[in-house]
C-alpha cells in the first residue's frame, strides 16, 4: 500500500474498504451518530525504516493517510490523523512510542494518541 505504483489488487482492496466506510457513514448518519475515522500509524510510517520495498519500488509512507484524508473530505467524514504528531513527537523527544520487539504502542504511544484524540475530537463534536 505504500508503494507509489500499487498493484491492481491493492487498488481494488482500497476501493472495497472505502466503500465499506461509506456504508458505515450511511448507517451512522441514519441513526444520528457522528462518524470519525482515526488513522493509527504503523510503526514503519513513524520511523521510516526504508525508502524502497523488495521489488525496489519507492515507498510513500503517507500515501494511505492521504487517500483516507481525501476520502474523508469528499464524503464529509471527520478524520483524525495521528501520524504527523507521532513523527513530530519522536523527532523532538527521541523517545520510542512503539515496543522494540513488536509493532504495538508502548505507554508513550498510548498516552500520545489519547492526547491527540482528546484535542481533536471536541472540534468535531461541537
Amino acid at each position: 500500500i505504500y508503494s507509489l505504483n500499487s498493484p491492481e489488487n491493492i487498488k481494488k482492496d482500497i476501493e472495497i474498504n472505502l466503500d465499506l466506510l461509506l456504508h458505515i457513514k450511511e448507517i451512522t448518519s441514519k441513526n444520528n451518530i457522528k462518524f470519525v475515522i482515526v488513522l493509527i500509524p504503523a510503526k514503519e510510517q513513524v520511523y521510516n525504516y526504508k525508502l524502497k520495498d523488495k521489488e525496489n519500488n519507492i515507498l510513500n509512507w503517507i500515501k494511505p493517510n492521504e487517500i483516507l484524508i481525501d476520502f474523508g473530505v469528499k464524503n464529509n467524514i471527520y478524520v483524525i490523523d495521528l501520524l504527523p504528531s507521532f513523527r513530530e513527537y519522536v523527532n523532538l523527544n527521541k523517545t520510542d512510542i512503539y515496543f522494540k520487539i513488536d509493532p504495538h504502542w508502548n505507554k508513550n504511544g498510548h498516552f500520545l494518541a489519547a492526547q491527540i484524540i482528546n484535542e481533536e475530537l471536541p472540534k468535531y463534536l461541537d
Side-chain angles (χ1 to χ4, degrees):
I1 189 149
Y2 303 110
S3 175
L4 291 180
N5 301 311
S6 296
E8 283 305 311
N9 63 323
I10 297 293
K11 291 177 184 175
K12 184 178 178 182
D13 289 345
I14 291 169
E15 289 303 317
I16 290 169
N17 281 284
L18 295 179
D19 286 343
L20 290 170
L21 289 170
L22 271 180
H23 187 64
I24 293 169
K25 167 82 165 119
E26 290 171 17
I27 293 169
T28 57
S29 292
K30 286 178 185 176
N31 291 285
N32 295 317
I33 299 169
K34 295 192 178 201
F35 179 51
V36 177
I37 296 173
V38 178
L39 302 181
I40 298 174
K43 186 176 184 178
E44 295 82 7
Q45 287 181 285
V46 175
Y47 296 110
N48 294 316
Y49 291 131
K50 55 187 177 177
L51 299 176
K52 294 184 177 183
D53 64 12
K54 291 182 243 176
E55 289 80 33
N56 210 31
N57 294 311
I58 296 172
L59 299 173
N60 176 357
W61 292 111
I62 62 171
K63 181 180 170 187
N65 299 56
E66 292 172 333
I67 291 168
L68 286 161
I69 290 166
D70 182 56
F71 171 80
V73 169
K74 288 179 181 172
N75 294 285
N76 198 30
I77 299 171
Y78 194 65
V79 177
I80 299 173
D81 186 6
L82 302 179
L83 181 57
S85 297
F86 271 42
R87 282 183 168 177
E88 181 181 4
Y89 180 88
V90 167
N91 289 331
L92 290 176
N93 297 295
K94 307 296 183 215
T95 303
D96 286 330
I97 55 177
Y98 291 86
F99 289 110
K100 293 197 185 299
I101 59 171
D102 71 33
H104 296 94
W105 296 333
N106 62 22
K107 67 179 181 177
N108 297 326
H110 283 279
F111 183 79
L112 181 58
Q115 278 187 313
I116 298 164
I117 293 168
N118 189 48
E119 289 172 15
E120 292 296 318
L121 201 52
K123 296 175 188 176
Y124 175 66
L125 298 176
D126 289 339

